Amino acid sequence: MINLLIVDDEKNIRRGLQSVIERQFPNLFNYRFAENGQEALELLSQEPADIMFTDIRMPIMDGIELLEQLQDHPVKPEVVLLSGYNDFVYAQKGIRCAVKDYLVKPVMREELFSVLERLMRDIRMREERADKAGEDAVLVAAELVTLHLTQKDAGDAITQNKLKQAGLSWLDTGYTLGLLTRRGRGSQTSSTDAVFRNQIAELLQGHMDWILTRDGKGGTIMIARDPVMFYQLAERWRLSVYESQLRIAISESVQGIEQIRWAYSQTKQTLKYSIVLPELDVLDYTSISERNERHVVPVELIGRLSNLMGMGRGNEMKQLLNQILDVRIISCCEIGYLERISQLLNEELFDKVFHIYGNRVLDLLSHYASVGHIGNFDCFEHYYAFVEQLLDNLDRFIQDRREQAPTEQNTMQKVVAYLQTHYADNLNMAVVSNHFSLNYSYFSQAFQEYYGESFSNYVRRLRLDKAKELLVHSDLKVYEISDQVGFENVKHFTRIFKDTEGITALEYRSQRRLFEIQVI
């Protein structure tokens, strides 16, 4: 698994990123979390991370200082900065520290997934390059093919002489490309892709004019002069001791190495159809490409399904889902039709529920994270069942939340009134939650949901507002105001004030008083 470290002082952001990523890439990342740069450094000293998302502005140690400290680490993660629109200067500093990318909050799903896919591709290619030492002529030939697949400008470097030396002259006479994957039990137990390729090679002993290699994205491809070899391989795999199912997507017959990218793109598209054709071990692009029938995506039905969420009308929801995911239509359509429906279900239903309820619904959504992409399922029936179960659970969850809402709203109103009176006290979330006899985690989530910001941000803003009133309408010293509104010390107060208002407390006092004189 890929080690991913998320560094942010806001728990909702940390868990929210995990939820979105897990639904798109289930069981691919091992997550760790830190609230500031110092905590992140401690985690990295215990175990390196492959990828690190870090906020810029954090207490104790901010993101820029974290990056500077990381320069001395022997193993550095791929770093992506997270912050607001006004932090471009900090982002420039990050670039000098070899930051891979910069995402602006609120992070867009498409941008997040694009960055992750690029980083994962870079990590895989780096790992694959590390394996190259000692490769024999067969592996050199495979590398030539991978090079042509992954580098657009590699064509000139792959001459006919190199192909001949690598034993690939037969590519000019015609070949078929196959993308090989494993499904079901055993697909996760083979420790590496190298083990998988060795298993394939053993089953193909005695055959001529074929080659196994990598696609640069973690996948295994096979090129064979005779397409019948793919069917023979599938049959031998079925009769072998391997418990997983071998799934092969093959291209049409092409000629010349310059056609490899085209053939590879055909196999990627063809492999998507495995969800609606689970009984086939070999999926042929030639037959898939005949699926030209198009249908209009049922956007209106998905909207109606969204409106029924939480209404307790489960039978109506099931009827709508049956219309939306009509197996009779999906089984004869292009796969893009099902992909678009899946995307809309995520965006219009599941993402909206998380946006409204945040961490309270995180565990439920995480349990069904695989519905984020149809490629996570071996067959359509399993995908349908998971979507149906998730909708049923979300419907009951929202019903429960609506029943609790009046009591919860009344409690939060009392909390806000308490803060307005006791803002100068030594407040923290533990103190306030205990005062109202509320669970700490529940209180944190409920406050965020009710007031639209975290407890700490609300208290800080409340104290600053009170401080600004005293700056304008009293002659108290800055340190006296800092103490009266509840800041732990004047140094902390002046820094927070300058960061928030853009000017010092004394400059604010002078400016506001001058403004009032001019108005009079």
Side-chain angles (χ1 to χ4, degrees), residues 124-155:
R124 289 191 186 107
M125 291 186 70
R126 187 167 62 249
E127 291 173 346
E128 290 171 352
R129 284 195 296 268
D131 302 339
K132 293 178 184 176
E135 289 181 338
D136 57 18
V138 173
L139 293 181
V140 171
E143 195 60 40
L144 280 175
V145 174
T146 301
L147 182 69
H148 195 82
L149 274 174
T150 57
Q151 298 186 23
K152 294 182 179 180
D153 57 352

Side-chain angles (χ1 to χ4, degrees), residues 117-128:
E117 286 170 353
R118 179 168 56 80
L119 291 179
M120 288 189 290
R121 184 167 60 249
D122 292 344
I123 290 170
R124 289 191 186 107
M125 291 186 70
R126 187 167 62 249
E127 291 173 346
E128 290 171 352

Side-chain angles (χ1 to χ4, degrees), residues 124-351:
R124 289 191 186 107
M125 291 186 70
R126 187 167 62 249
E127 291 173 346
E128 290 171 352
R129 284 195 296 268
D131 302 339
K132 293 178 184 176
E135 289 181 338
D136 57 18
V138 173
L139 293 181
V140 171
E143 195 60 40
L144 280 175
V145 174
T146 301
L147 182 69
H148 195 82
L149 274 174
T150 57
Q151 298 186 23
K152 294 182 179 180
D153 57 352
D156 294 338
I158 302 179
T159 62
Q160 289 299 317
N161 187 45
K162 286 185 178 181
L163 291 175
K164 184 177 180 181
Q165 291 175 349
L168 295 177
S169 299
W170 52 269
L171 291 178
D172 287 332
T173 62
Y175 61 91
T176 300
L177 186 143
L179 182 58
L180 281 56
T181 62
R182 290 160 292 176
R183 295 280 182 155
R185 283 193 310 156
S187 61
Q188 302 298 324
T189 57
S190 295
S191 56
T192 65
D193 289 331
V195 171
F196 178 47
R197 288 193 290 273
N198 288 338
Q199 293 169 344
I200 296 295
E202 289 177 6
L203 296 177
L204 290 176
Q205 285 183 356
H207 284 276
M208 300 291 292
D209 296 340
W210 62 275
I211 187 172
L212 281 174
T213 187
R214 302 155 296 184
D215 63 359
K217 298 180 180 179
T220 296
I221 64 172
M222 171 180 162
I223 300 173
R225 176 185 285 184
D226 185 358
V228 174
M229 281 185 61
F230 293 103
Y231 295 91
Q232 294 172 337
L233 172 61
E235 178 64 22
R236 292 181 181 181
W237 185 278
R238 278 196 301 272
L239 299 175
S240 71
V241 296
Y242 308 128
E243 294 182 339
S244 59
Q245 178 189 5
L246 180 66
R247 188 71 58 80
I248 309 174
I250 64 174
S251 70
E252 61 186 359
S253 180
V254 295
Q255 290 182 320
I257 195 169
E258 59 275 4
Q259 293 293 315
I260 281 182
R261 286 199 198 102
W262 168 241
Y264 176 64
S265 68
Q266 291 180 354
T267 62
K268 287 199 299 180
Q269 183 66 14
T270 302
L271 189 62
K272 294 177 180 179
Y273 286 86
S274 60
I275 188 173
V276 294
L277 297 169
E279 71 282 0
L280 297 182
D281 295 325
V282 181
L283 301 164
D284 189 343
Y285 174 79
T286 304
S287 60
I288 297 301
S289 62
E290 297 173 356
R291 289 177 171 240
N292 295 319
E293 187 172 357
R294 297 178 180 273
H295 285 266
V296 177
V297 175
V299 176
E300 182 181 342
L301 294 180
I302 293 173
R304 288 166 55 188
L305 183 60
S306 177
N307 293 335
L308 286 175
M309 294 279 282
M311 302 296 290
R313 294 157 66 175
N315 288 335
E316 291 181 54
M317 291 178 63
K318 289 182 179 180
Q319 291 172 8
L320 278 174
L321 184 64
N322 187 52
Q323 291 178 263
I324 293 167
L325 293 174
D326 190 334
V327 67
R328 295 168 301 177
I329 297 175
I330 287 171
S331 62
C332 64
C333 272
E334 292 178 323
I335 199 64
Y337 176 76
L338 178 57
E339 288 179 320
R340 180 60 177 152
I341 290 176
S342 175
Q343 179 186 355
L344 285 173
L345 288 174
N346 277 284
E347 294 176 354
E348 300 301 321
L349 276 77
F350 311 138
D351 285 357

